[in-house]
Amino acid sequence: MALIEVDDLVKEYQLNVRHKGLLGSIRSLLIPEYTKKVAVDSISFSIEKGETVGFIGPNGAGKSTTVKMLTGILTPTSGTITVGGLSPYKDRKKNASRIGVVFGQRTQLWWDLPVADTFDLLKYIYKIPDNVFRENMELFSDILGLQEFMKQPVRQLSLGQKMRADIGAALLHNPEIIFFDEPTIGLDVVAKEQIREFVRTVNRERGTTMLFTTHDMLDIEKTCKRMIIIDHGKKIYDGTVEEIKDKYGRSRVLRVEFSEYIADVQLPGAEMIKEEGNKKWFEFQKDQTQVSRLINTLSQKYGIVDITVQEPEIEGVIREIYQGGIDLNETLSGVS
Amino acid sequence: MRNSGFLESLNVFYQYSKLSLKVMLEFKLDRSMITLAIFCREMIAVVVMLLILARFLHIRGWDMNQLFFLYSFLFISYSLFVFIFAGVRDFDQLVHSGEFDRYLIRPRGLLFQVVASKIDLPATLGHGVVGVILFMNTAFSVGITWNMQNILFYISVVVGGAVIQASIFMLTACMSFWAIRIENIRNLIFFNARRIAGYPISFYPAFIQKMLIFIVPFSFVNYFPAQFFIRKEDMNLFWDGFMYMTPVVGVVMFVVVSLFWRFGVRSYSSSGNALY
Ligand SMILES: Nc1ncnc2c1ncn2[C@@H]1O[C@H](COP(=O)(O)OP(=O)(O)OP(=O)(O)O)[C@@H](O)[C@H]1O
Ligand SMILES: [Mg+2]
């Protein structure tokens, strides 16, 4: 059995219907009316030990709701979840000692105290043995650079420092599984990269299983082999990051630097999208136009200094999927 | 095994308290001012009562020392209650900020975490010092022999009184699980009931007596325990058994409210926090 098994998971929220005005509120109080909101709609997947999985989808898709059910905060409306053989909400405490959770939007550190104090407390809450605690503190200092601000009150830390400390706090008890809900939100490029590096290291060295929610595709590309996409509570893709790029990133960009300025370049099969001095960018569809032909045409007619082919960015692909431009069901094998 | 589990929990509780204390030391001046403010506020109430009572030798058979002895229970048990249950008192904030979700993903009991994570020393000290002052000035002049039995009974009623107040707060805390905020109504009822209970309940009309016995049972926090020690005539108005009931009322209320709490947690887990 896989480490995480999710089968036909459904979460419906009940929403109070509120009426306007005083009479309306009295009415809502006396005769409560509810509507249902299906946040997660029969999702199934399984995750093996040691996998890193990106869990993405547009705002309101149901990612956080799913993470909350996996961590035991919410009970499912129907369907089953097992995490390491346990039900997260029935065996809440047991499950809690084996998982780590990072909520990017909220810190678990004591606001007015140095980071070190929260870490000390967590040591007791999770019954972390001394040697494990020491090892982890060393590792976190090395890769996350925590020692720089360990003694500073949390309220004085920058967003990036706080996030690093929070990630450390969630990993202190050597959890088998870590859930990240938007761990890189609001961080700069360097801080993001540091966190990705840390995630990769922990996954590689400890075989920790990870589920990663984010809106930054680069996070996914750099840390996850597999990706699950959900939209409107439904799973629409489950497969490798590579596959989705291959199949849907059909357009390529050819960047050419000419030896002199050429006003009008004729290049059949490609379209000029940008121009800057002697440089020009051409977009073409890789399954319609061969790149070798384009290069041939160009080099025969003009003097060329430099030429590069740019891969599509997954960001663009995902954007198109969210906007409904790509229908994954029809074409992809990944969906199970 | 169970025992070592208990000691271990106690240690975690201690670790939490250490952090709470550290925060307090961080804001020494601020917290000292709050403590002083609470102390003064409560002391003013005491002084006002003193000025009113100074004109009389007795009121319906109660002399001043006895009245203040009765009053001291309110402060001492409230002090103990906030010392331990400040987290329960402020529980609504925990739920509405979404912080409670974090408690659900920790391998510890929920109530334990709520209780352990907050200590309100200013309120504890502010009320506690008033209580001790009143106690020291009255307890030895109202004819109580402080033998072992009486000391033990005193402790049990102070603890019982604290648990009764904790249960009232926990009951309203539970409403947060359904995203219902009633702290304002609760405070109105609680603190007015407490003010009324500052005088012997026999002074009041029957319906207020009933309310303080059966609905907001403050009579078990001070009136009946005080009657156990100083047995005034007006105790004839009530059933004798009430004098011994404080710990029982505390335990029963706490058990019932704990069941409600569990029910609330389950409901919370199925509805989620609409504010996050
Ligand atoms: N406690 C709640 N009560 C009612 N509806 C809720 C509740 N929490 C979430 N929802 C709704 O359920 C849907 C899924 O929300 P969820 O937070 O899981 O989305 P998400 O994928 O995490 O989005 P984002 O990327 O914006 O974080 C949304 O439509 C949201 O409005
Ligand atoms: Mg979310």
Side-chain angles (χ1 to χ4, degrees), chain A residues 3 28 67 88 105 114 130 170 174 197 208 238 245-246 258 303:
Chain A
L3 188 61
S28 321
V67 170
Q105 320 227 20
D130 287 333
N174 285 351
E197 177 58 38
T208 311
D238 184 348
K245 237 162 70 171
D246 274 3
F258 297 96

PDB file of all heavy atoms in Angstrom, chain A residues 3 28 67 88 105 114 130 170 174 197 208 238 245-246 258 303:
ATOM      1  N   LEU A   3       2.012   5.130   0.714  1.00  0.00           N
ATOM      2  CA  LEU A   3       2.072   5.838   1.994  1.00  0.00           C
ATOM      3  C   LEU A   3       0.824   6.703   2.222  1.00  0.00           C
ATOM      4  O   LEU A   3       0.258   6.739   3.302  1.00  0.00           O
ATOM      5  CB  LEU A   3       3.325   6.725   2.025  1.00  0.00           C
ATOM      6  CG  LEU A   3       3.642   7.395   3.354  1.00  0.00           C
ATOM      7  CD1 LEU A   3       3.872   6.361   4.439  1.00  0.00           C
ATOM      8  CD2 LEU A   3       4.846   8.299   3.207  1.00  0.00           C
ATOM      9  N   SER A  28     -32.516  34.639   9.267  1.00  0.00           N
ATOM     10  CA  SER A  28     -31.451  33.635   9.157  1.00  0.00           C
ATOM     11  C   SER A  28     -31.215  32.933  10.489  1.00  0.00           C
ATOM     12  O   SER A  28     -30.846  31.763  10.535  1.00  0.00           O
ATOM     13  CB  SER A  28     -30.136  34.268   8.718  1.00  0.00           C
ATOM     14  OG  SER A  28     -30.347  35.256   7.766  1.00  0.00           O
ATOM     15  N   VAL A  67      -5.415  19.567   1.727  1.00  0.00           N
ATOM     16  CA  VAL A  67      -4.314  19.474   2.686  1.00  0.00           C
ATOM     17  C   VAL A  67      -4.856  19.388   4.110  1.00  0.00           C
ATOM     18  O   VAL A  67      -4.374  18.605   4.933  1.00  0.00           O
ATOM     19  CB  VAL A  67      -3.348  20.673   2.543  1.00  0.00           C
ATOM     20  CG1 VAL A  67      -2.355  20.724   3.685  1.00  0.00           C
ATOM     21  CG2 VAL A  67      -2.614  20.607   1.215  1.00  0.00           C
ATOM     22  N   PRO A  88      -6.220  10.192   9.291  1.00  0.00           N
ATOM     23  CA  PRO A  88      -5.696  11.418   9.902  1.00  0.00           C
ATOM     24  C   PRO A  88      -6.604  12.030  10.958  1.00  0.00           C
ATOM     25  O   PRO A  88      -6.118  12.636  11.906  1.00  0.00           O
ATOM     26  CB  PRO A  88      -5.555  12.387   8.726  1.00  0.00           C
ATOM     27  CG  PRO A  88      -5.560  11.558   7.521  1.00  0.00           C
ATOM     28  CD  PRO A  88      -6.332  10.315   7.832  1.00  0.00           C
ATOM     29  N   GLN A 105       0.945  30.978   4.951  1.00  0.00           N
ATOM     30  CA  GLN A 105       0.249  32.218   5.283  1.00  0.00           C
ATOM     31  C   GLN A 105       0.220  32.474   6.784  1.00  0.00           C
ATOM     32  O   GLN A 105      -0.342  33.457   7.225  1.00  0.00           O
ATOM     33  CB  GLN A 105      -1.189  32.149   4.785  1.00  0.00           C
ATOM     34  CG  GLN A 105      -1.303  31.504   3.444  1.00  0.00           C
ATOM     35  CD  GLN A 105      -2.178  32.298   2.506  1.00  0.00           C
ATOM     36  OE1 GLN A 105      -2.403  33.478   2.713  1.00  0.00           O
ATOM     37  NE2 GLN A 105      -2.663  31.647   1.463  1.00  0.00           N
ATOM     38  N   PRO A 114      12.386  34.883  20.638  1.00  0.00           N
ATOM     39  CA  PRO A 114      13.333  34.398  19.632  1.00  0.00           C
ATOM     40  C   PRO A 114      12.912  33.034  19.083  1.00  0.00           C
ATOM     41  O   PRO A 114      12.259  32.259  19.781  1.00  0.00           O
ATOM     42  CB  PRO A 114      14.642  34.264  20.409  1.00  0.00           C
ATOM     43  CG  PRO A 114      14.485  35.142  21.591  1.00  0.00           C
ATOM     44  CD  PRO A 114      13.031  35.154  21.915  1.00  0.00           C
ATOM     45  N   ASP A 130      17.245  14.299  22.332  1.00  0.00           N
ATOM     46  CA  ASP A 130      18.301  15.315  22.280  1.00  0.00           C
ATOM     47  C   ASP A 130      19.160  15.245  21.031  1.00  0.00           C
ATOM     48  O   ASP A 130      19.429  16.253  20.397  1.00  0.00           O
ATOM     49  CB  ASP A 130      19.226  15.172  23.504  1.00  0.00           C
ATOM     50  CG  ASP A 130      18.535  15.649  24.768  1.00  0.00           C
ATOM     51  OD1 ASP A 130      17.634  16.506  24.651  1.00  0.00           O
ATOM     52  OD2 ASP A 130      18.876  15.148  25.858  1.00  0.00           O
ATOM     53  N   ALA A 170       8.705  22.997  11.422  1.00  0.00           N
ATOM     54  CA  ALA A 170       7.823  21.911  10.994  1.00  0.00           C
ATOM     55  C   ALA A 170       8.585  20.609  10.773  1.00  0.00           C
ATOM     56  O   ALA A 170       7.997  19.529  10.736  1.00  0.00           O
ATOM     57  CB  ALA A 170       7.083  22.310   9.717  1.00  0.00           C
ATOM     58  N   ASN A 174      11.556  15.279  12.613  1.00  0.00           N
ATOM     59  CA  ASN A 174      11.776  14.294  11.553  1.00  0.00           C
ATOM     60  C   ASN A 174      10.494  13.649  11.042  1.00  0.00           C
ATOM     61  O   ASN A 174      10.347  12.436  11.067  1.00  0.00           O
ATOM     62  CB  ASN A 174      12.706  13.169  12.033  1.00  0.00           C
ATOM     63  CG  ASN A 174      14.139  13.622  12.100  1.00  0.00           C
ATOM     64  OD1 ASN A 174      14.466  14.716  11.643  1.00  0.00           O
ATOM     65  ND2 ASN A 174      14.989  12.792  12.668  1.00  0.00           N
ATOM     66  N   GLU A 197      16.115  24.347  -2.328  1.00  0.00           N
ATOM     67  CA  GLU A 197      17.325  23.562  -2.098  1.00  0.00           C
ATOM     68  C   GLU A 197      17.177  22.726  -0.823  1.00  0.00           C
ATOM     69  O   GLU A 197      17.525  21.539  -0.793  1.00  0.00           O
ATOM     70  CB  GLU A 197      18.526  24.522  -1.973  1.00  0.00           C
ATOM     71  CG  GLU A 197      19.857  23.853  -1.650  1.00  0.00           C
ATOM     72  CD  GLU A 197      20.239  22.817  -2.690  1.00  0.00           C
ATOM     73  OE1 GLU A 197      19.990  23.064  -3.890  1.00  0.00           O
ATOM     74  OE2 GLU A 197      20.772  21.752  -2.301  1.00  0.00           O
ATOM     75  N   THR A 208      12.108  11.776   2.793  1.00  0.00           N
ATOM     76  CA  THR A 208      10.846  12.322   3.280  1.00  0.00           C
ATOM     77  C   THR A 208       9.878  12.563   2.119  1.00  0.00           C
ATOM     78  O   THR A 208      10.262  13.079   1.075  1.00  0.00           O
ATOM     79  CB  THR A 208      11.096  13.663   3.998  1.00  0.00           C
ATOM     80  OG1 THR A 208      12.166  13.485   4.916  1.00  0.00           O
ATOM     81  CG2 THR A 208       9.855  14.120   4.725  1.00  0.00           C
ATOM     82  N   ASP A 238      -2.656  14.230 -13.355  1.00  0.00           N
ATOM     83  CA  ASP A 238      -1.806  13.571 -12.380  1.00  0.00           C
ATOM     84  C   ASP A 238      -0.721  12.857 -13.169  1.00  0.00           C
ATOM     85  O   ASP A 238      -0.980  11.862 -13.823  1.00  0.00           O
ATOM     86  CB  ASP A 238      -2.644  12.573 -11.557  1.00  0.00           C
ATOM     87  CG  ASP A 238      -1.813  11.922 -10.444  1.00  0.00           C
ATOM     88  OD1 ASP A 238      -0.576  12.068 -10.455  1.00  0.00           O
ATOM     89  OD2 ASP A 238      -2.421  11.270  -9.587  1.00  0.00           O
ATOM     90  N   LYS A 245       4.877  19.301 -20.034  1.00  0.00           N
ATOM     91  CA  LYS A 245       5.646  20.288 -20.781  1.00  0.00           C
ATOM     92  C   LYS A 245       5.829  19.856 -22.232  1.00  0.00           C
ATOM     93  O   LYS A 245       5.635  20.629 -23.158  1.00  0.00           O
ATOM     94  CB  LYS A 245       7.012  20.464 -20.118  1.00  0.00           C
ATOM     95  CG  LYS A 245       7.268  21.874 -19.739  1.00  0.00           C
ATOM     96  CD  LYS A 245       8.361  22.042 -18.733  1.00  0.00           C
ATOM     97  CE  LYS A 245       9.750  21.755 -19.248  1.00  0.00           C
ATOM     98  NZ  LYS A 245      10.763  22.164 -18.249  1.00  0.00           N
ATOM     99  N   ASP A 246       6.180  18.591 -22.393  1.00  0.00           N
ATOM    100  CA  ASP A 246       6.393  18.046 -23.730  1.00  0.00           C
ATOM    101  C   ASP A 246       5.162  18.185 -24.595  1.00  0.00           C
ATOM    102  O   ASP A 246       5.220  18.603 -25.738  1.00  0.00           O
ATOM    103  CB  ASP A 246       6.725  16.557 -23.634  1.00  0.00           C
ATOM    104  CG  ASP A 246       8.197  16.370 -23.407  1.00  0.00           C
ATOM    105  OD1 ASP A 246       8.882  17.397 -23.274  1.00  0.00           O
ATOM    106  OD2 ASP A 246       8.642  15.212 -23.362  1.00  0.00           O
ATOM    107  N   PHE A 258      21.703  39.040 -35.160  1.00  0.00           N
ATOM    108  CA  PHE A 258      22.300  39.209 -36.486  1.00  0.00           C
ATOM    109  C   PHE A 258      23.554  40.069 -36.402  1.00  0.00           C
ATOM    110  O   PHE A 258      23.739  40.831 -35.447  1.00  0.00           O
ATOM    111  CB  PHE A 258      21.284  39.878 -37.429  1.00  0.00           C
ATOM    112  CG  PHE A 258      20.058  39.031 -37.654  1.00  0.00           C
ATOM    113  CD1 PHE A 258      18.909  39.232 -36.895  1.00  0.00           C
ATOM    114  CD2 PHE A 258      20.064  38.023 -38.620  1.00  0.00           C
ATOM    115  CE1 PHE A 258      17.785  38.452 -37.089  1.00  0.00           C
ATOM    116  CE2 PHE A 258      18.933  37.241 -38.802  1.00  0.00           C
ATOM    117  CZ  PHE A 258      17.792  37.450 -38.046  1.00  0.00           C
ATOM    118  N   GLY A 303      23.973  37.182 -42.018  1.00  0.00           N
ATOM    119  CA  GLY A 303      25.081  36.902 -41.121  1.00  0.00           C
ATOM    120  C   GLY A 303      24.572  36.795 -39.687  1.00  0.00           C
ATOM    121  O   GLY A 303      23.851  37.682 -39.222  1.00  0.00           O
TER     122      GLY A 303
END
